[in-house]
Amino acid sequence: MRSLNFLGLDETGLSPETADVLIQPIPYDSTTSFQPGTRFGPEAILQASHQVELWDEELGWEPMSCGTCLTLSDIPRNHHGPEMMIGDIKAHLQSYRDQKKMILALGGEHTISIPLVQGVKQNYPDLVVLVLDAHADLRESWEGSSFSHACTLRRIAELDCPIFHLGLRSLSKEEQKFLSDQPQIHSYSSQEILFHNGLDRFRDDLSAMAGRNLYLSLDIDALDPSLVPGTGTPEPGGLAWHHLLEIFKMVVALGPVRGADICELLPLPGSRLSEFVVAKSMFKFLSYLFFQLRKENPYVRT
Ligand SMILES: [Mn+2]
């Protein structure tokens, strides 16, 4: 489907109908406020993914021989603003939604999560949204747009689904006030996760919703910028690699994950670290996901 694909996998014989997971690049940015360039993220991530080993040393298996991924063609960037782009994303993915396919989207800026979550919520009305992000993204509007990357979680909150937000460490006074009035947004700051066992509280809270359908949105700036310096709006004091893996494992174990995205990777000249971390995080997430699916149904593709 796409000449440069995820992990350089052999996609012979695969189609969107038969693949377990569809990788959907969405090279879009327009509202990024600090450093533009996240539209170059998907290409850089896919390139870096070719350096990821296909053997998962932690689980002792080769996940891509048990589950299948197909990398789709890019959704072209719409230059007429985020609302138009959101419409394009919805239209582009409609047929996959009708088939209830699992889509892992690659941004691009965080705005792309809005139509992705909306689409999955249509299929699964009980959806619970998990967001990893340094920023609250709860602004009503930002720089003239209600669909700026800085408003992503505000728009998702309007969809009336519980939200679990991990890695928060930057927000405005107004966002803090809004957050305090939103019982359905469960927040776990970076500091709580790093120093006060915040992931234990997260596991307990999410366990109360075990079995509900989940969507995972990973703004890569949730991780510490020493690990991912290439991001649109870096914030110090972020999560470590192994926090991310622990979160993936909890999420995969606690509910069926129906959709996911990874956003805000900004390739930097002279370093491939950030895109490699993103590519490896995709690999680990899919490895856990396929491992869990095989555990639930050992007769499928063993
Ligand atoms: Mn962010």
Side-chain angles (χ1 to χ4, degrees), residues 110 132-137 149 219-222 231 233 235 264:
H110 207 179
L132 283 79
D133 195 334
H135 309 95
D137 287 356
H149 68 107
D219 178 331
I220 204 64
D221 66 31
T231 188
T233 321
E235 282 288 340
E264 297 287 344

Side-chain angles (χ1 to χ4, degrees), residues 243-265:
H243 292 124
L244 183 65
L245 299 192
E246 282 308 302
I247 292 165
F248 283 164
K249 283 186 250 195
M250 289 178 195
V251 168
V252 161
L254 283 171
V257 183
R258 302 301 187 180
D261 62 68
I262 303 186
C263 298
E264 297 287 344
L265 184 272

Side-chain angles (χ1 to χ4, degrees), residues 74-118:
D74 297 2
I75 300 181
R77 185 172 173 222
N78 189 314
H79 296 271
H80 300 288
E83 277 113 319
M84 299 295 281
M85 186 66 204
I86 285 170
D88 282 4
I89 294 171
K90 280 186 190 167
H92 196 95
L93 297 178
Q94 190 56 50
S95 66
Y96 306 132
R97 292 284 173 237
D98 293 344
Q99 301 169 59
K100 296 198 170 179
K101 299 299 297 189
M102 159 85 184
I103 294 171
L104 170 51
L106 298 182
E109 65 174 59
H110 207 179
T111 307
I112 67 159
S113 303
I114 299 168
L116 295 164
V117 173
Q118 283 174 339

Side-chain angles (χ1 to χ4, degrees), residues 150-167:
C151 310
T152 300
L153 210 55
R154 182 76 172 247
R155 300 287 84 81
I156 291 175
E158 289 166 357
L159 300 176
D160 197 25
C161 39
I163 295 171
F164 291 77
H165 182 171
L166 301 116

